[in-house]
Each structure stands twice: as C-alpha cells, then as structure tokens.
Amino acid sequence: DAGVIQSPRHEVTEMGQEVTLRCKPISGHDYLFWYRQTMMRGLELLIYFNNNVPIDDSGMPEDRFSAKMPNASFSTLKIQPSEPRDSAVYFCASSPGTGGSSSYTFGSGTRLTVV
Amino acid sequence: QKEVEQDPGPLSVPEGAIVSLNCTYSNSAFQYFMWYRQYSRKGPELLMYTYSSGNKEDGRFTAQVDKSSKYISLFIRDSQPSDSATYLCAMSRDWGAQKLVFGQGTRLTINP
C-alpha cells in the first residue's frame, strides 16, 4: 500500500498564477480531506468528501479555492488566482469511514510558496 | 477563541527526561481524543487515541484525558532523540465523526 500520494511535493509560483494540487487517496477509502498547515494557524480543514461528494467546505477560505473529486482515486485542490498568503503546506488525508476518528492517513504534503 | 489550544513551544529537553504535552479545549461535546506525531516534512501520523476521561498507556507513551477540566495530556517517558517531532492533539465529537479539530502542535526536541 503506497499510502496517500500527493503531487507535487513542492510548488513555487508567482502571485496571480493558478495552482493545482493533486491527491490520490488509499484505495477503498471513502473519505478524503484537504488540510492546510501554517505556523500561525496550525492544521486547518479546508474541505472533505465522502464517496466523491463534497460534504463540508466551510473551511475553504474564499472563492479563489476550489476542490474536486471526479472519481474515487483522484482529487484536486485549485487556487486561482494565488496570493502570497496562500503559502503553506497542504495535506491530503483519507479514511475508510470505519474505525472512526482514528483512521485518518495523511499524505506527505505539498509545500506551496507564492511569491 | 480557538476550540483547541496547544502551546506551540518549542520545547527542548535532554534525552531520558519525562515530557508532558498538553491541550485545552472549549467544546464539551468532544469525546474522542487523539495525539498525532509529525516528523519534519512529513504528514501527521496517529500516535494514540482515547475515549472520554481516563488514561491509556502504550509503551513509553501515556495519554490522559480530564473532561471535567477540558484538558488532555501526553506523557513520554525515557524520551529518545527519535521522539523529536511536532505533536498535535486532535478531537472529535463522536466515533463516526470524520471531522477532526486539531491543536496547533508542539514542536519537541530531545537532545542527546
């Protein structure tokens, strides 16, 4: 099992550009989560999906952020246009839905820098 | 006020010391409490989880929950340099809940 796979590992982009982050969850996991981690705010939930359907997007900071899950094995988080304050580490996590709150598996994250 | 408060540290202790990490929370509905460990440039990994009040021990690690005080702790005995990481507490309202609320994380360094 390769775990949760995120790409790219690092992304440096200029302000105003579109950024797309990608995630492949663990096969068989019904839930997928996008988190953002910064020194100031810690780990914040942006959005999560159940069976490819967005359940709670209340953490998405603003309309510049969008997330999709076209199938059970792939999700994207898009920022358009990007701003320097979006610089953070973005994590994807997945869960099988059983085993409750203890069953999250995180990816290694994408470190985004917007200059 | 954040739902979960955790001192970000950093905390630096000598090898072999007992380490105490703590979180406080404001939402009395939280019943499931977790500790995650995050190594540099990696995602968080579940270390321990507990339900309601009480203690749980796993090797050198002990998790403690005091719901009356809305306070949770993680103790590390005989700390090792390999324990150097960021430790995050997390909480949820029920077992089926998929939405976790995390603390900010405490950065811990164990010095040889």
Side-chain angles (χ1 to χ4, degrees):
Chain A
D1 184 353
V4 176
I5 300 172
Q6 292 186 246
S7 64
R9 287 299 309 274
H10 303 274
E11 177 80 37
V12 181
T13 191
E14 291 186 349
M15 183 173 64
Q17 296 298 305
E18 178 179 294
V19 175
T20 299
L21 311 181
R22 297 173 176 81
C23 175
K24 177 178 168 53
I26 292 173
S27 177
H29 281 195
D30 294 333
Y31 288 83
L32 183 139
F33 308 83
W34 282 101
Y35 280 87
R36 177 171 69 177
Q37 187 175 40
T38 61
M39 291 290 289
M40 291 297 295
R41 301 172 68 89
L43 199 61
E44 301 173 286
L45 177 65
L46 301 177
I47 184 172
Y48 79 93
F49 296 83
N50 178 212
N51 291 324
N52 314 337
V53 176
I55 302 300
D56 185 346
D57 66 354
S58 58
M60 296 286 261
E62 48 199 274
D63 291 346
R64 298 185 297 108
F65 286 69
S66 63
K68 293 182 180 179
M69 192 165 185
N71 57 63
S73 59
F74 184 66
S75 178
T76 59
L77 178 68
K78 188 175 292 187
I79 308 172
Q80 165 64 16
S82 57
E83 296 182 4
R85 61 192 167 118
D86 301 330
S87 298
V89 182
Y90 290 80
F91 287 102
C92 177
S94 69
S95 166
T98 57
S101 308
S102 69
S103 55
Y104 270 43
T105 302
F106 282 85
S108 292
T110 294
R111 185 172 295 272
L112 174 65
T113 303
V114 183
V115 297
Chain B
Q1 182 190 6
K2 290 182 181 178
E3 275 191 293
V4 180
E5 298 275 2
Q6 183 177 8
D7 185 342
L11 182 62
S12 181
V13 301
E15 183 176 354
I18 296 175
V19 176
S20 172
L21 306 169
N22 311 294
C23 289
T24 58
Y25 62 95
S26 57
N27 189 343
S28 58
F30 287 140
Q31 295 193 81
Y32 292 90
F33 305 92
M34 285 137 277
W35 286 95
Y36 282 78
R37 179 173 60 195
Q38 184 178 18
Y39 290 115
S40 181
R41 301 190 180 276
K42 296 288 188 182
E45 296 176 295
L46 181 67
L47 189 60
M48 295 184 72
Y49 73 92
T50 53
Y51 167 68
S52 195
S53 287
N55 293 358
K56 184 174 183 179
E57 191 173 316
D58 184 1
R60 296 184 295 109
F61 298 87
T62 300
Q64 199 171 77
V65 174
D66 182 348
K67 289 192 71 181
S68 62
S69 302
K70 298 190 181 71
Y71 188 87
I72 70 169
S73 301
L74 178 71
F75 298 96
I76 308 174
R77 291 186 301 280
D78 187 24
S79 55
Q80 304 294 310
S82 58
D83 296 328
S84 298
T86 295
Y87 290 79
L88 302 102
C89 62
M91 307 177 188
S92 68
R93 276 174 275 197
D94 55 68
W95 185 239
Q98 292 294 321
K99 190 173 177 177
L100 299 182
V101 180
F102 283 85
Q104 193 172 353
T106 300
R107 193 168 187 176
L108 173 67
T109 301
I110 309 298
N111 301 303

